[in-house]
Amino acid sequence: YLTSGIYDVSLTVSNGSVTNTLVLENYITVSALPGTAPAPIGPTTVCASGGNTTYSTTGLTGITSYDWVLAPSGAGNVSGTGLTITVIWTSGFLGEATLKVAGENICGTGSYSNPINITRYLPEVTLEPFDWVCLDWPEFELTGGMPAGGEYSGPGVVNGWFNPASAGVGTHIITYTYSD
């Protein structure tokens, strides 16, 4: 058979004068190697403190499972063989990884998709030292923490405002915490 599909089979027997034919409908299924799988869909930037991530692909016909490949191997492991999988990241892995997928059936593994490029990172958090202040100065809003949107804490800090009188005389550590 030149193309995949479901075919009838016929058997013809003849003794030279009498011929009998037996037809079995939809008797044989001919499969082909799967085509190229569509590229995975999912997040391309992943915060390292965010845990595992989910990726999927759209289905191909005639597939029994999918082979997902995460590279480099030290980036983590793939959990699942279906249309949707979970990447279980290695706790210390930061940097670039790729994820690709191929369909599988009884004929073998098809061509792998184009990979999706994934960056796993920790945000760089910075806070420049503050200028000297005097004990009797009014409270002021703390600024300068990067990336924006984090929280300030420490002696004399309430809701992002610093009160010199509450902190008291001396050198104090102001902490800036950012959650992605």
Side-chain angles (χ1 to χ4, degrees):
Y1 298 96
L2 299 176
T3 59
S4 61
I6 300 174
Y7 296 94
D8 298 341
V9 173
S10 65
L11 173 63
T12 303
V13 178
S14 176
N15 67 2
S17 60
V18 178
T19 302
N20 282 328
T21 300
L22 172 66
V23 176
L24 299 174
E25 294 181 4
N26 300 324
Y27 186 74
I28 189 168
T29 301
V30 177
S31 297
L33 196 62
T36 302
I41 300 166
T44 56
T45 56
V46 178
C47 181
S49 64
N52 303 328
T53 52
T54 301
Y55 295 89
S56 62
T57 187
T58 54
L60 294 171
T61 57
I63 301 302
T64 55
S65 65
Y66 289 88
D67 183 39
W68 294 83
V69 177
L70 179 67
S73 59
N77 295 304
V78 173
S79 175
T81 59
L83 287 172
T84 301
I85 56 95
T86 300
V87 172
I88 302 166
W89 295 101
T90 301
S91 63
F93 177 78
L94 297 175
E96 301 291 321
T98 60
L99 180 67
K100 61 185 179 178
V101 61
E104 298 177 322
N105 66 14
I106 62 171
C107 295
T109 302
S111 297
Y112 282 90
S113 67
N114 288 327
I116 183 174
N117 296 314
I118 306 163
T119 302
R120 189 162 188 262
Y121 68 96
L122 279 176
E124 183 177 335
V125 180
T126 61
L127 178 64
E128 295 296 320
F130 293 100
D131 289 333
W132 288 91
V133 296
C134 292
L135 190 63
D136 61 348
W137 287 3
E139 69 177 351
F140 59 91
E141 187 174 14
L142 297 170
T143 60
M146 295 302 288
E151 294 183 12
Y152 298 91
S153 62
V157 177
V158 176
N159 294 326
W161 287 74
F162 179 73
N163 185 323
S166 293
V169 174
T171 301
H172 303 287
I173 296 176
I174 304 295
T175 302
Y176 182 71
T177 305
Y178 176 80
S179 297
D180 189 331

